[in-house]
Amino acid sequence: RGSDRQVHCDIYGPIEEGDYWRRCQRIMAHLPANIRVAYCGLVAPVQVARVLQDYHLFYLPTQGENFGYAIVEAWAAGLPVLISDQTPWRALESRGIGWDLPLAEPAGFSAVLRRVADMEQAEFSAWSRRAQRFAGDLLARQNASALPAYRALFEQTLRHAQRQPAHRPPAR
């Protein structure tokens, strides 16, 4: 409220609760003229990164996420995130990769949206680079920690295969 900045919010994903969605549509119909909200439907998994690159911010005021793969995908696409504090991701602003705010304080979400809308390109680019770097580092750590498990599985499979007689196709 109180801003003339143009804000475009696109919503992706399934509509799972019809009554809730109709309530959202009623609210969207009464937003100020400078705010446009559109429902864009589902995105194929192979298209997610390309779709995310068209935006400046990933907004997910969720009531709860165990991990938040969509959040990590947003960082990987170079988007700072504006999420609730109901995810494992904390202290995002101090890292320069986003904001994690309490759902009970909607004014904080509005303030961040205004801040992002007012960012100069150089500042946004810095947030974007930090988000991408954070995602890259996170994924590298996860891959490194998974490597011993993959190696053990490979070695177990190899030992099992060595104990089994080789399969030979029937002679013709």
Side-chain angles (χ1 to χ4, degrees):
R1 298 185 192 277
S3 175
D4 61 349
R5 289 285 192 184
Q6 294 297 309
V7 176
H8 300 264
C9 178
D10 290 339
I11 300 171
Y12 290 90
I15 296 173
E16 296 175 343
E17 297 178 31
D19 290 341
Y20 178 74
W21 177 243
R22 284 185 286 284
R23 201 169 95 216
C24 291
Q25 288 177 306
R26 285 192 296 275
I27 292 168
M28 292 183 309
H30 294 95
L31 290 171
N34 65 309
I35 300 174
R36 179 190 61 80
V37 179
Y39 175 65
C40 300
L42 302 177
V43 177
V46 298
Q47 294 295 319
V48 170
R50 197 214 56 74
V51 168
L52 287 172
Q53 291 173 350
D54 290 340
Y55 297 94
H56 290 91
L57 181 72
F58 182 79
Y59 183 58
L60 186 67
T62 181
Q63 292 182 348
E65 296 288 329
N66 289 327
F67 179 78
Y69 287 99
I71 297 165
V72 176
E73 288 175 319
W75 284 322
L79 297 182
V81 301
L82 173 54
I83 60 175
S84 74
D85 61 357
Q86 301 301 303
T87 79
W89 307 108
R90 293 287 187 280
L92 304 181
E93 186 173 12
S94 65
R95 297 176 189 176
I97 60 172
W99 299 264
D100 50 295
L101 305 176
L103 290 170
E105 298 176 21
F109 286 87
S110 296
V112 169
L113 289 172
R114 278 192 297 280
R115 178 176 174 186
V116 173
D118 290 339
M119 276 187 188
E120 297 292 330
Q121 184 61 46
E123 182 182 5
F124 171 77
S125 294
W127 281 80
S128 180
R129 282 190 303 274
R130 286 189 299 266
Q132 277 188 315
R133 192 174 323 117
F134 180 79
D137 292 348
L138 174 68
L139 295 172
R141 283 192 309 274
Q142 283 190 328
N143 289 341
S145 66
L147 189 57
Y150 288 131
R151 178 174 284 131
L153 180 61
F154 175 74
E155 290 171 353
Q156 177 186 358
T157 303
L158 187 58
R159 282 191 303 276
H160 178 73
Q162 289 171 344
R163 289 191 301 257
Q164 301 298 317
H167 174 73
R168 306 258 189 253
R172 294 187 190 195

